[in-house]
Amino acid sequence: MLKILGKDISINVRKVLWTCRELGLPFEQEQWGAGYRATNTPEYLALNPMGLVPVLIDGDFVLTESNSICRYLANAYGGERLLPVNPRERALVEKWMDWQATELNNAWRYAFMGLIRKHPDYQDAALLQKSIDDWAKLIGLLDTHLAKTGAYVAGDNFSLADIVVGLSVHRWLSMPGEQPVFPAVNRYYQRLSERAGFREFGCNGNP
Ligand SMILES: N[C@@H](CCC(=O)N[C@@H](CS)C(=O)NCC(=O)O)C(=O)O
């Protein structure tokens, strides 16, 4: 049985949970991370020296980094539909996964920590506005792209890229205040909402 260490409210944990659902994989989950079981213990740091969630334990194999875990699960458990074998099709999926992990994550961090998590270290008004502007710019790029595909981020078919980008879109739409409206992104959100995995782990009340 797969074991996933990490709390339900974490976007990175939810990527892995949703991937398991899409693949029909049973799993056990333990709630680790701030507010739950502490990740700064020697026991946990031996699994992930970063002290972050999620961690996947598959028998004697331990893996960290949410996007890598999603790719591993698709590779190991018949997920070609989510991560194609064809090099070009796969590259388009991986490109958007990398974009989410590097560009999008970095853009939203300050605004998310300040406005949603209400962390005292993230309350500088100018930096909050810059983060929202950077985030909106990237969601705008995604909107232009989705208007072209008319379906999913890597083309006609749902893939791992939609799990990581879809959760990020849900986070964007959870932001308080008046934010720019992106019609293709909104249609994409509706499309994702037809999936049980997204309803369970994506748009489930956690930003
Ligand atoms: N690059 C890592 C980032 C993991 C990460 O930042 N996890 C956050 C939760 S989303 C975390 O563990 N924060 C500390 C905590 O909650 O204790 C991944 O994608 O797995």
Side-chain angles (χ1 to χ4, degrees), residues 7 10-12 15 33-34 39 51-54 65-67:
K7 56 194 178 185
S10 154
I11 193 170
N12 291 309
K15 288 177 190 172
T39 56
L52 297 172
V53 294
E65 290 302 325
S66 57
N67 286 6

Side-chain angles (χ1 to χ4, degrees), residues 91-109:
L92 292 179
V93 172
E94 296 196 316
K95 174 185 97 161
W96 285 102
M97 294 177 79
D98 288 347
W99 179 79
Q100 183 276 335
T102 55
E103 309 299 336
L104 199 53
N105 260 352
N106 282 330
W108 80 39
R109 184 163 291 110

Side-chain angles (χ1 to χ4, degrees), residues 63-85:
L63 190 61
T64 62
E65 290 302 325
S66 57
N67 286 6
S68 297
I69 294 172
C70 293
R71 278 192 285 259
Y72 165 74
L73 291 171
N75 280 326
Y77 295 102
E80 193 179 320
R81 156 181 81 76
L82 299 178
L83 186 60
V85 171

Side-chain angles (χ1 to χ4, degrees), residues 141-204:
L141 294 181
L142 178 65
D143 190 70
T144 303
H145 175 69
L146 287 169
K148 283 188 207 142
T149 73
Y152 297 102
V153 290
D156 290 338
N157 300 315
F158 179 86
S159 73
L160 283 187
D162 297 296
I163 293 181
V164 306
V165 173
L167 283 160
S168 307
V169 164
H170 174 70
R171 177 164 284 189
W172 163 255
L173 294 174
S174 305
M175 280 297 285
E178 285 285 307
Q179 308 303 346
V181 173
F182 296 107
V185 165
N186 287 349
R187 288 194 296 276
Y188 174 66
Y189 187 85
Q190 292 308 319
R191 206 168 295 127
L192 292 180
S193 301
E194 290 162 14
R195 304 187 84 85
F198 186 60
R199 291 197 299 274
E200 189 176 359
F201 299 114
C203 51
N204 66 357

